[in-house]
Amino acid sequence: MRILLVNDDGILAPGLSALHEAVADMGEVTVVAPETPQSAAGRSLTLHGPIVCNHVHVGGEFHGVSVAGRPVDCVKLAIRELMDEKPDLVLSGINAGENVGVNVFYSGTVAAGAEGALFGIPSVAFSLACTGEMDFHRAGQLCREVLDNLLAAQIARGELVNVNIPALSQSSPRGVRVAPQSTAAVSETYHRKVDADGRMIFRLDGNFEHGPQETETDVTALADGFITVTPLMSDMTDRNRLGHFQQCQWD
Ligand code: MN
């Protein structure tokens, strides 16, 4: 099996090494990852200017290509330019910090997986909930268990699955929940100050709260200590509203 491994935290991130270690025996693993951290890059890509790539050897563990660009650049370049053949699987992560709820839209980790799915390749994004000390090694083993189950369940061509590992402890994870993405808005805070030249300067506070959850979602299941598995779609069309607008008078 040919596996493309990407992330958004950068090619030196411990989560990438952990995922590499966890899947290395599955086949031929190609690592193409951003040179610098690209969290919350979402699906942006480098349109103007050169994209410099370098062959790197990371920590005596693996070879890879670092890309001075976005997570999506990495997937496009890997598939179109750097790999001899298209991968059978795109894996993204393990991200340092969970990607549930509306954060899925901003995540570079999920975006890299989404790009793989657009190429028709089964893709999985992995993230680990933020805690003081993050055990990426154990998270990697859990990601591998989930991945084996996903492959057994026949993850489809062009499908993206978003996987989140909860904060790890002796009693966590409590199991696996297949749950829908929450789209409840988050409450967030910008800190404002005015500098000596009178300019307003804002900084987004990293602490935010997900809005109220009416039913079980990726947000609630993860907070309850479960590994969450959420299949995502590339097609953003609202099928319910499509018919309504098609029946409207347009001339
Ligand atoms: Mn990240």
mmCIF file with all atom_site columns, all heavy atoms in Angstrom, residues 120-136:
data_model
loop_
_atom_site.group_PDB
_atom_site.id
_atom_site.type_symbol
_atom_site.label_atom_id
_atom_site.label_alt_id
_atom_site.label_comp_id
_atom_site.label_asym_id
_atom_site.label_entity_id
_atom_site.label_seq_id
_atom_site.pdbx_PDB_ins_code
_atom_site.Cartn_x
_atom_site.Cartn_y
_atom_site.Cartn_z
_atom_site.occupancy
_atom_site.B_iso_or_equiv
_atom_site.pdbx_formal_charge
_atom_site.auth_seq_id
_atom_site.auth_comp_id
_atom_site.auth_asym_id
_atom_site.auth_atom_id
_atom_site.pdbx_PDB_model_num
ATOM 1   N N   . GLY A 1 120 ? -9.848  11.659 -5.099 1.00 0.00 ? 120 GLY A N   1
ATOM 2   C CA  . GLY A 1 120 ? -10.480 10.344 -5.167 1.00 0.00 ? 120 GLY A CA  1
ATOM 3   C C   . GLY A 1 120 ? -9.811  9.308  -4.286 1.00 0.00 ? 120 GLY A C   1
ATOM 4   O O   . GLY A 1 120 ? -10.056 8.109  -4.409 1.00 0.00 ? 120 GLY A O   1
ATOM 5   N N   . ILE A 1 121 ? -8.963  9.771  -3.372 1.00 0.00 ? 121 ILE A N   1
ATOM 6   C CA  . ILE A 1 121 ? -8.192  8.851  -2.531 1.00 0.00 ? 121 ILE A CA  1
ATOM 7   C C   . ILE A 1 121 ? -8.825  8.801  -1.131 1.00 0.00 ? 121 ILE A C   1
ATOM 8   O O   . ILE A 1 121 ? -9.122  9.860  -0.556 1.00 0.00 ? 121 ILE A O   1
ATOM 9   C CB  . ILE A 1 121 ? -6.726  9.327  -2.431 1.00 0.00 ? 121 ILE A CB  1
ATOM 10  C CG1 . ILE A 1 121 ? -6.120  9.395  -3.838 1.00 0.00 ? 121 ILE A CG1 1
ATOM 11  C CG2 . ILE A 1 121 ? -5.907  8.417  -1.525 1.00 0.00 ? 121 ILE A CG2 1
ATOM 12  C CD1 . ILE A 1 121 ? -4.859  10.221 -3.915 1.00 0.00 ? 121 ILE A CD1 1
ATOM 13  N N   . PRO A 1 122 ? -9.026  7.602  -0.581 1.00 0.00 ? 122 PRO A N   1
ATOM 14  C CA  . PRO A 1 122 ? -9.512  7.521  0.800  1.00 0.00 ? 122 PRO A CA  1
ATOM 15  C C   . PRO A 1 122 ? -8.544  8.273  1.715  1.00 0.00 ? 122 PRO A C   1
ATOM 16  O O   . PRO A 1 122 ? -7.334  8.069  1.614  1.00 0.00 ? 122 PRO A O   1
ATOM 17  C CB  . PRO A 1 122 ? -9.493  6.017  1.114  1.00 0.00 ? 122 PRO A CB  1
ATOM 18  C CG  . PRO A 1 122 ? -9.407  5.327  -0.203 1.00 0.00 ? 122 PRO A CG  1
ATOM 19  C CD  . PRO A 1 122 ? -8.740  6.282  -1.150 1.00 0.00 ? 122 PRO A CD  1
ATOM 20  N N   . SER A 1 123 ? -9.079  9.144  2.579  1.00 0.00 ? 123 SER A N   1
ATOM 21  C CA  . SER A 1 123 ? -8.218  10.011 3.384  1.00 0.00 ? 123 SER A CA  1
ATOM 22  C C   . SER A 1 123 ? -8.710  10.061 4.825  1.00 0.00 ? 123 SER A C   1
ATOM 23  O O   . SER A 1 123 ? -9.918  10.032 5.074  1.00 0.00 ? 123 SER A O   1
ATOM 24  C CB  . SER A 1 123 ? -8.208  11.433 2.801  1.00 0.00 ? 123 SER A CB  1
ATOM 25  O OG  . SER A 1 123 ? -7.757  11.395 1.449  1.00 0.00 ? 123 SER A OG  1
ATOM 26  N N   . VAL A 1 124 ? -7.762  10.133 5.736  1.00 0.00 ? 124 VAL A N   1
ATOM 27  C CA  . VAL A 1 124 ? -8.115  10.192 7.153  1.00 0.00 ? 124 VAL A CA  1
ATOM 28  C C   . VAL A 1 124 ? -7.288  11.288 7.819  1.00 0.00 ? 124 VAL A C   1
ATOM 29  O O   . VAL A 1 124 ? -6.076  11.363 7.636  1.00 0.00 ? 124 VAL A O   1
ATOM 30  C CB  . VAL A 1 124 ? -7.848  8.847  7.877  1.00 0.00 ? 124 VAL A CB  1
ATOM 31  C CG1 . VAL A 1 124 ? -8.416  8.894  9.299  1.00 0.00 ? 124 VAL A CG1 1
ATOM 32  C CG2 . VAL A 1 124 ? -8.424  7.665  7.104  1.00 0.00 ? 124 VAL A CG2 1
ATOM 33  N N   . ALA A 1 125 ? -7.971  12.165 8.574  1.00 0.00 ? 125 ALA A N   1
ATOM 34  C CA  . ALA A 1 125 ? -7.302  13.210 9.351  1.00 0.00 ? 125 ALA A CA  1
ATOM 35  C C   . ALA A 1 125 ? -7.333  12.812 10.823 1.00 0.00 ? 125 ALA A C   1
ATOM 36  O O   . ALA A 1 125 ? -8.389  12.412 11.330 1.00 0.00 ? 125 ALA A O   1
ATOM 37  C CB  . ALA A 1 125 ? -8.008  14.549 9.154  1.00 0.00 ? 125 ALA A CB  1
ATOM 38  N N   . PHE A 1 126 ? -6.172  12.893 11.494 1.00 0.00 ? 126 PHE A N   1
ATOM 39  C CA  . PHE A 1 126 ? -6.064  12.517 12.903 1.00 0.00 ? 126 PHE A CA  1
ATOM 40  C C   . PHE A 1 126 ? -5.650  13.727 13.746 1.00 0.00 ? 126 PHE A C   1
ATOM 41  O O   . PHE A 1 126 ? -4.713  14.446 13.376 1.00 0.00 ? 126 PHE A O   1
ATOM 42  C CB  . PHE A 1 126 ? -5.006  11.430 13.091 1.00 0.00 ? 126 PHE A CB  1
ATOM 43  C CG  . PHE A 1 126 ? -5.328  10.114 12.446 1.00 0.00 ? 126 PHE A CG  1
ATOM 44  C CD1 . PHE A 1 126 ? -4.746  9.756  11.233 1.00 0.00 ? 126 PHE A CD1 1
ATOM 45  C CD2 . PHE A 1 126 ? -6.204  9.223  13.055 1.00 0.00 ? 126 PHE A CD2 1
ATOM 46  C CE1 . PHE A 1 126 ? -5.033  8.525  10.644 1.00 0.00 ? 126 PHE A CE1 1
ATOM 47  C CE2 . PHE A 1 126 ? -6.498  7.995  12.472 1.00 0.00 ? 126 PHE A CE2 1
ATOM 48  C CZ  . PHE A 1 126 ? -5.914  7.648  11.263 1.00 0.00 ? 126 PHE A CZ  1
ATOM 49  N N   . SER A 1 127 ? -6.325  13.890 14.875 1.00 0.00 ? 127 SER A N   1
ATOM 50  C CA  . SER A 1 127 ? -5.970  14.971 15.809 1.00 0.00 ? 127 SER A CA  1
ATOM 51  C C   . SER A 1 127 ? -6.046  14.450 17.236 1.00 0.00 ? 127 SER A C   1
ATOM 52  O O   . SER A 1 127 ? -6.848  13.565 17.535 1.00 0.00 ? 127 SER A O   1
ATOM 53  C CB  . SER A 1 127 ? -6.938  16.157 15.655 1.00 0.00 ? 127 SER A CB  1
ATOM 54  O OG  . SER A 1 127 ? -6.967  16.613 14.317 1.00 0.00 ? 127 SER A OG  1
ATOM 55  N N   . LEU A 1 128 ? -5.216  15.039 18.079 1.00 0.00 ? 128 LEU A N   1
ATOM 56  C CA  . LEU A 1 128 ? -5.183  14.664 19.504 1.00 0.00 ? 128 LEU A CA  1
ATOM 57  C C   . LEU A 1 128 ? -5.550  15.885 20.339 1.00 0.00 ? 128 LEU A C   1
ATOM 58  O O   . LEU A 1 128 ? -4.957  16.958 20.166 1.00 0.00 ? 128 LEU A O   1
ATOM 59  C CB  . LEU A 1 128 ? -3.769  14.169 19.876 1.00 0.00 ? 128 LEU A CB  1
ATOM 60  C CG  . LEU A 1 128 ? -3.460  13.950 21.360 1.00 0.00 ? 128 LEU A CG  1
ATOM 61  C CD1 . LEU A 1 128 ? -4.366  12.883 21.975 1.00 0.00 ? 128 LEU A CD1 1
ATOM 62  C CD2 . LEU A 1 128 ? -1.985  13.561 21.533 1.00 0.00 ? 128 LEU A CD2 1
ATOM 63  N N   . ALA A 1 129 ? -6.520  15.705 21.238 1.00 0.00 ? 129 ALA A N   1
ATOM 64  C CA  . ALA A 1 129 ? -6.968  16.813 22.086 1.00 0.00 ? 129 ALA A CA  1
ATOM 65  C C   . ALA A 1 129 ? -5.798  17.377 22.876 1.00 0.00 ? 129 ALA A C   1
ATOM 66  O O   . ALA A 1 129 ? -4.900  16.642 23.299 1.00 0.00 ? 129 ALA A O   1
ATOM 67  C CB  . ALA A 1 129 ? -8.070  16.351 23.033 1.00 0.00 ? 129 ALA A CB  1
ATOM 68  N N   . CYS A 1 130 ? -5.820  18.686 23.051 1.00 0.00 ? 130 CYS A N   1
ATOM 69  C CA  . CYS A 1 130 ? -4.738  19.395 23.717 1.00 0.00 ? 130 CYS A CA  1
ATOM 70  C C   . CYS A 1 130 ? -4.756  19.161 25.220 1.00 0.00 ? 130 CYS A C   1
ATOM 71  O O   . CYS A 1 130 ? -5.778  19.333 25.867 1.00 0.00 ? 130 CYS A O   1
ATOM 72  C CB  . CYS A 1 130 ? -4.889  20.895 23.457 1.00 0.00 ? 130 CYS A CB  1
ATOM 73  S SG  . CYS A 1 130 ? -3.431  21.577 22.711 1.00 0.00 ? 130 CYS A SG  1
ATOM 74  N N   . THR A 1 131 ? -3.637  18.734 25.752 1.00 0.00 ? 131 THR A N   1
ATOM 75  C CA  . THR A 1 131 ? -3.477  18.651 27.199 1.00 0.00 ? 131 THR A CA  1
ATOM 76  C C   . THR A 1 131 ? -2.067  19.125 27.510 1.00 0.00 ? 131 THR A C   1
ATOM 77  O O   . THR A 1 131 ? -1.277  19.358 26.595 1.00 0.00 ? 131 THR A O   1
ATOM 78  C CB  . THR A 1 131 ? -3.636  17.193 27.700 1.00 0.00 ? 131 THR A CB  1
ATOM 79  O OG1 . THR A 1 131 ? -2.837  16.346 26.869 1.00 0.00 ? 131 THR A OG1 1
ATOM 80  C CG2 . THR A 1 131 ? -5.076  16.744 27.665 1.00 0.00 ? 131 THR A CG2 1
ATOM 81  N N   . GLY A 1 132 ? -1.748  19.262 28.782 1.00 0.00 ? 132 GLY A N   1
ATOM 82  C CA  . GLY A 1 132 ? -0.427  19.729 29.175 1.00 0.00 ? 132 GLY A CA  1
ATOM 83  C C   . GLY A 1 132 ? 0.658   18.895 28.522 1.00 0.00 ? 132 GLY A C   1
ATOM 84  O O   . GLY A 1 132 ? 1.508   19.401 27.792 1.00 0.00 ? 132 GLY A O   1
ATOM 85  N N   . GLU A 1 133 ? 0.613   17.594 28.789 1.00 0.00 ? 133 GLU A N   1
ATOM 86  C CA  . GLU A 1 133 ? 1.608   16.706 28.197 1.00 0.00 ? 133 GLU A CA  1
ATOM 87  C C   . GLU A 1 133 ? 0.888   15.806 27.202 1.00 0.00 ? 133 GLU A C   1
ATOM 88  O O   . GLU A 1 133 ? -0.045  15.100 27.567 1.00 0.00 ? 133 GLU A O   1
ATOM 89  C CB  . GLU A 1 133 ? 2.260   15.851 29.288 1.00 0.00 ? 133 GLU A CB  1
ATOM 90  C CG  . GLU A 1 133 ? 3.762   15.725 29.093 1.00 0.00 ? 133 GLU A CG  1
ATOM 91  C CD  . GLU A 1 133 ? 4.413   15.131 30.331 1.00 0.00 ? 133 GLU A CD  1
ATOM 92  O OE1 . GLU A 1 133 ? 4.761   15.899 31.245 1.00 0.00 ? 133 GLU A OE1 1
ATOM 93  O OE2 . GLU A 1 133 ? 4.530   13.902 30.371 1.00 0.00 ? 133 GLU A OE2 1
ATOM 94  N N   . MET A 1 134 ? 1.313   15.875 25.949 1.00 0.00 ? 134 MET A N   1
ATOM 95  C CA  . MET A 1 134 ? 0.607   15.116 24.923 1.00 0.00 ? 134 MET A CA  1
ATOM 96  C C   . MET A 1 134 ? 1.365   13.847 24.579 1.00 0.00 ? 134 MET A C   1
ATOM 97  O O   . MET A 1 134 ? 2.511   13.912 24.138 1.00 0.00 ? 134 MET A O   1
ATOM 98  C CB  . MET A 1 134 ? 0.380   16.002 23.694 1.00 0.00 ? 134 MET A CB  1
ATOM 99  C CG  . MET A 1 134 ? -0.466  17.221 24.043 1.00 0.00 ? 134 MET A CG  1
ATOM 100 S SD  . MET A 1 134 ? -0.784  18.300 22.651 1.00 0.00 ? 134 MET A SD  1
ATOM 101 C CE  . MET A 1 134 ? -2.034  17.380 21.778 1.00 0.00 ? 134 MET A CE  1
ATOM 102 N N   . ASP A 1 135 ? 0.721   12.712 24.806 1.00 0.00 ? 135 ASP A N   1
ATOM 103 C CA  . ASP A 1 135 ? 1.354   11.414 24.558 1.00 0.00 ? 135 ASP A CA  1
ATOM 104 C C   . ASP A 1 135 ? 1.086   10.994 23.110 1.00 0.00 ? 135 ASP A C   1
ATOM 105 O O   . ASP A 1 135 ? 0.164   10.226 22.829 1.00 0.00 ? 135 ASP A O   1
ATOM 106 C CB  . ASP A 1 135 ? 0.805   10.378 25.547 1.00 0.00 ? 135 ASP A CB  1
ATOM 107 C CG  . ASP A 1 135 ? 1.547   9.050  25.453 1.00 0.00 ? 135 ASP A CG  1
ATOM 108 O OD1 . ASP A 1 135 ? 2.323   8.865  24.491 1.00 0.00 ? 135 ASP A OD1 1
ATOM 109 O OD2 . ASP A 1 135 ? 1.351   8.213  26.353 1.00 0.00 ? 135 ASP A OD2 1
ATOM 110 N N   . PHE A 1 136 ? 1.929   11.509 22.200 1.00 0.00 ? 136 PHE A N   1
ATOM 111 C CA  . PHE A 1 136 ? 1.714   11.210 20.786 1.00 0.00 ? 136 PHE A CA  1
ATOM 112 C C   . PHE A 1 136 ? 1.983   9.739  20.462 1.00 0.00 ? 136 PHE A C   1
ATOM 113 O O   . PHE A 1 136 ? 1.404   9.195  19.529 1.00 0.00 ? 136 PHE A O   1
ATOM 114 C CB  . PHE A 1 136 ? 2.600   12.108 19.907 1.00 0.00 ? 136 PHE A CB  1
ATOM 115 C CG  . PHE A 1 136 ? 2.051   13.494 19.747 1.00 0.00 ? 136 PHE A CG  1
ATOM 116 C CD1 . PHE A 1 136 ? 2.652   14.567 20.377 1.00 0.00 ? 136 PHE A CD1 1
ATOM 117 C CD2 . PHE A 1 136 ? 0.935   13.723 18.958 1.00 0.00 ? 136 PHE A CD2 1
ATOM 118 C CE1 . PHE A 1 136 ? 2.147   15.848 20.228 1.00 0.00 ? 136 PHE A CE1 1
ATOM 119 C CE2 . PHE A 1 136 ? 0.425   15.000 18.798 1.00 0.00 ? 136 PHE A CE2 1
ATOM 120 C CZ  . PHE A 1 136 ? 1.041   16.067 19.437 1.00 0.00 ? 136 PHE A CZ  1
#
